[in-house]
Amino acid sequence: MRTSQFFLSTLKEAPNEAELPSHKLMLRAGLIKKLGSGLYTWMPLGLRVLRKVEAVVRDEMTKAGALELLMPAIQPAELWQESGRWAVFGPQMLKMKDRHERDFCFGPTHEEVITDIGRSEIKSYKQLPLNFFQIQTKFRDEIRPRFGVMRAREFVMKDAYSFHADLASLQQTYDGMYRAYSNVFSRLGLKFRAVAADTGAIGGDGSHEFHVLADSGEDALAYCPTSDFAANVELAEALAPADSRPAPAEALRDVDTPKQTTCEQVAALLEIPLQRTVKLIALMAEDKLNIVLLRGDHSMNEVKVGKLAGMTDFRFATEEEIRSFFNCPPGFLGPVGVDRSKVRLIADRAVAVMNDFVCGANKPKFHIAGVNWGRDLPEADIVADVRNVVAGDPSPDGKGVLEICRGIEVGHIFQLRTKYSEALSCTFLDAEGQTKPMEMGCYGIGVSRIVGACIEQNFDDKGINFPVAMAPFQVAVVAVGYHRSEAVKAAADKLYAELLAAGIDVLLDDRNERPGVMFADIELIGIPHRITIGDKNLANGDIEYQARRDPAASLVKVEEAAAMMKAKLA
């Protein structure tokens, strides 16, 4: 491709709305243009990147035995009502009516549609297993679209769905999809990690997320560097302390804390470790107050709390509810003296083995020190793992300690089991002629999100550093003085033709621009390899070569340039 026949639209500065580096750079490089909140046009340069990601995804899905189809983006409400998700999916679902006042939605996902295909087309175990996939536009009405394509309302997704006669077959395909996903991200040149994860709104049993590692990632990932353990922090188990609870050693006493409303402030005032403080979080569930106790240096894990009996639809208590029950403002709350007939007390495992701890006194400007279970406070109603793991915690597999990193979720695979097949009566006849619900799997990749995640992992002060597999072009030939020098024009045209003949995706920059402008654009859009042809070096039979990550250029003989690039891209 020649720049004179292409469309480059770069900016020196990103719009003020852009926050993440990927958002800024995609706008500056002209990969995308904003249409509305969370809505972006993929410009020719960005679409080249997107199509390369799609090609790798499609190739690996096909190799794994999945069959491509394309389902409608607009889905009838009846299917979602049948599965029970029409009312519970939430405001992310964009609902609409047709001219006949029938309800439809713009599909945020396709479990219902594919299950309808399965129940109408699959009748016998002899047809199983089957795995279908599509690459298609989805829409989810994010409450606050931001970060460009990282959290857009409209996005491109690869979603696959498998049908099976039994769990063993499902597990086999699930393992195959795990390998295929690993292949996808490896081929795209991304640093990634697969982690065990919660199934969330999709439902089912087993689940793994695939994260591109980046400091800007929204998800915290826990992993053990000395073993294979890795999990999203929302799922990673915080093991119970190995030590038993020590006996009380201090007397119970009030301490004056006139302005200290956080554990950090109280610990600093009393000159004690933060680990000796306990904080109380008030939650409402099933019209009853629940209080969760956590060590001062720990944070509550909402996913874990939501899995406790009676806590499925919990919410945080309002300040009015807190004041009504405790007769005390937030910041000074504690479990001592609370009427336990009116409240359920949930203690994290770490708190359950503490002694002589400090907590709120349930009166303004005071905390209590020397609190002990049994003596000052009845044992908790529930002791459970309700906190996020932290660096240094024992690994759940017992093979080391955990470390924490940040990741951007770009893929998620689920063992749906029979969640949708039972709801939608998707059954088959087994070898004995018995009717059974099909086992199902679900496998998603955020195709457009991969582009943003890649940039978050690969950028510098000059712009994007695309891996070769994702770059809009593999090589840029920058012809300095193309319109002034016949020698430059002839050399550039010859090398361009040779690279094209070798199957290399090359951009010939034949613009009548200053070299600085041409170099800046090529660096900004992230082309991995640059060859510069100019009169000065050409007089000695040389051209300049510089990889995007190289600190400086090197000279290469003109006649060797094509062979060099073929070798580097082999």
Side-chain angles (χ1 to χ4, degrees):
M1 182 65 68
R2 296 171 180 266
T3 53
S4 57
Q5 299 170 341
F6 196 61
F7 183 78
L8 288 181
S9 178
T10 58
L11 302 171
K12 289 185 177 180
E13 300 291 336
N16 292 332
E17 72 193 49
E19 300 176 58
L20 287 184
S22 61
H23 192 191
K24 295 176 181 178
L25 289 171
M26 290 185 77
L27 290 169
R28 283 191 57 212
L31 302 181
I32 57 173
K33 297 293 181 183
K34 182 178 178 180
L35 175 64
S37 178
L39 303 173
Y40 293 89
T41 297
W42 286 83
M43 300 299 288
L45 193 70
L47 189 61
R48 290 181 68 89
V49 179
L50 191 68
R51 292 292 185 248
K52 290 188 175 185
V53 175
E54 288 181 5
V56 172
V57 171
R58 181 174 281 110
D59 185 52
E60 288 297 333
M61 289 300 101
T62 302
K63 286 178 179 177
L67 304 170
E68 187 169 9
L69 47 63
L70 185 61
M71 293 176 276
I74 304 301
Q75 305 178 22
E78 288 82 1
L79 281 176
W80 288 78
Q81 291 164 346
E82 193 175 350
S83 72
R85 290 206 298 172
W86 182 258
V88 301
F89 196 88
Q92 282 190 327
M93 181 188 287
L94 179 62
K95 298 178 179 179
M96 63 197 80
K97 291 181 181 292
D98 68 4
R99 69 180 68 191
H100 303 293
E101 292 298 306
R102 293 176 298 206
D103 288 316
F104 291 83
C105 70
F106 194 130
T109 183
H110 276 69
E111 284 82 10
E112 280 79 3
V113 177
I114 197 69
T115 307
D116 183 60
I117 292 172
R119 68 181 176 182
S120 61
E121 299 295 328
I122 303 172
K123 304 301 180 184
S124 168
Y125 73 97
K126 296 179 181 179
Q127 297 171 270
L128 299 173
L130 281 170
N131 192 2
F132 300 106
F133 81 96
Q134 65 172 350
I135 298 176
Q136 193 220 45
T137 298
K138 299 283 195 293
F139 188 94
R140 295 180 186 176
D141 198 2
E142 293 277 355
I143 189 171
R144 188 189 166 206
R146 61 192 192 279
F147 308 150
V149 300
M150 298 282 284
R151 182 159 287 188
R153 294 196 292 170
E154 184 179 280
F155 54 93
V156 178
M157 181 179 179
K158 187 285 301 180
D159 45 327
Y161 308 90
S162 61
F163 298 89
H164 307 270
D166 53 40
L167 178 57
S169 174
L170 168 58
Q171 186 65 54
Q172 187 175 20
T173 296
Y174 185 89
D175 292 342
M177 288 290 101
Y178 186 103
R179 290 190 295 271
Y181 274 43
S182 298
N183 292 342
V184 166
F185 301 121
S186 295
R187 285 179 58 181
L188 292 175
L190 300 172
K191 297 175 184 177
F192 71 98
R193 187 174 290 274
V195 300
D198 184 68
T199 55
I202 301 298
D205 291 344
S207 171
H208 282 85
E209 294 171 347
F210 290 78
H211 289 259
V212 169
L213 303 182
D215 292 338
S216 60
E218 289 185 291
D219 289 286
L221 312 177
Y223 70 97
C224 180
T226 57
S227 75
D228 294 331
F229 177 82
N232 194 304
V233 163
E234 69 183 11
L235 187 68
E237 181 185 8
L239 297 180
D243 298 332
S244 58
R245 183 195 302 161
E250 297 180 7
L252 189 69
R253 62 196 184 279
D254 283 353
V255 290
D256 188 11
T257 53
K259 298 180 180 179
Q260 289 73 26
T261 59
T262 68
C263 288
E264 289 81 2
Q265 293 169 341
V266 171
L269 176 70
L270 301 181
E271 297 181 341
I272 61 173
L274 183 58
Q275 292 89 333
R276 287 191 57 195
T277 64
V278 168
K279 55 189 170 188
L280 181 151
I281 300 175
L283 307 174
M284 296 298 298
E286 298 181 350
D287 296 323
K288 183 175 182 178
L289 182 68
N290 297 262
I291 56 178
V292 176
L293 299 185
L294 294 165
R295 209 168 73 183
D297 60 327
H298 290 158
S299 59
M300 190 179 84
N301 184 308
E302 295 185 29
V303 171
K304 293 178 180 178
V305 171
K307 291 181 178 179
L308 298 177
M311 298 296 290
T312 304
D313 297 313
F314 81 86
R315 62 174 175 81
F316 290 92
T318 65
E319 183 170 346
E320 182 181 352
E321 289 168 332
I322 290 171
R323 287 180 178 273
S324 174
F325 183 84
F326 290 95
N327 194 29
C328 177
F332 303 96
L333 307 179
V336 178
V338 168
D339 185 351
R340 294 285 288 276
S341 67
K342 298 180 180 179
V343 68
R344 182 167 62 166
L345 194 155
I346 302 168
D348 181 67
R349 290 170 173 174
V351 175
V353 298
M354 290 177 67
N355 73 319
D356 298 330
F357 58 85
V358 177
C359 62
N362 292 327
K363 56 183 178 181
K365 302 182 180 181
F366 280 93
H367 280 71
I368 304 177
V371 178
N372 283 273
W373 292 101
R375 188 191 71 181
D376 313 308
L377 177 65
E379 298 293 340
D381 299 301
I382 297 176
V383 175
D385 170 25
V386 292
R387 71 172 176 92
N388 290 320
V389 295
V390 295
D393 279 342
S395 176
D397 63 4
K399 297 180 181 179
V401 296
L402 296 177
E403 293 186 12
I404 307 295
C405 64
R406 308 297 301 183
I408 301 167
E409 184 187 341
V410 290
H412 204 159
I413 60 177
F414 304 84
Q415 291 186 16
L416 296 175
R417 299 295 308 274
T418 58
K419 174 182 171 70
Y420 294 93
S421 57
E422 288 182 346
L424 295 169
S425 299
C426 181
T427 61
F428 72 101
L429 292 178
D430 67 11
E432 284 72 42
Q434 300 297 312
T435 299
K436 292 184 177 179
M438 295 181 209
E439 295 278 353
M440 291 179 61
C442 171
Y443 321 94
I445 284 182
V447 176
S448 51
R449 198 167 207 240
I450 286 175
V451 180
C454 172
I455 296 171
E456 289 297 321
Q457 191 180 82
N458 299 278
F459 73 93
D460 57 22
D461 57 355
K462 295 178 181 179
I464 303 167
N465 290 329
F466 273 123
V468 170
M470 290 181 61
F473 298 94
Q474 296 171 307
V475 182
V477 175
V478 178
V480 179
Y482 184 88
H483 296 274
R484 302 189 304 271
S485 168
E486 286 298 325
V488 169
K489 183 177 186 299
D493 287 346
K494 183 175 183 295
L495 179 57
Y496 175 61
E498 289 174 343
L499 293 175
L500 286 178
I504 293 173
D505 197 4
V506 57
L507 175 68
L508 172 57
D509 195 341
D510 58 356
R511 291 177 293 171
N512 190 18
E513 287 280 4
R514 292 178 290 108
V517 172
M518 300 164 83
F519 293 159
D521 280 347
I522 297 303
E523 289 171 334
L524 173 61
I525 64 180
I527 298 179
H529 301 279
R530 186 183 79 205
I531 293 173
T532 304
I533 301 177
D535 274 324
K536 183 178 178 179
N537 288 320
L538 205 55
N540 298 317
D542 296 326
I543 54 93
E544 276 188 0
Y545 165 75
Q546 185 172 4
R548 179 64 178 78
R549 299 176 187 273
D550 288 349
S554 57
L555 295 178
V556 178
K557 290 299 178 183
V558 175
E559 62 272 15
E560 298 173 0
M564 175 196 67
M565 287 314 311
K566 284 190 284 187
K568 286 184 178 293
L569 295 171

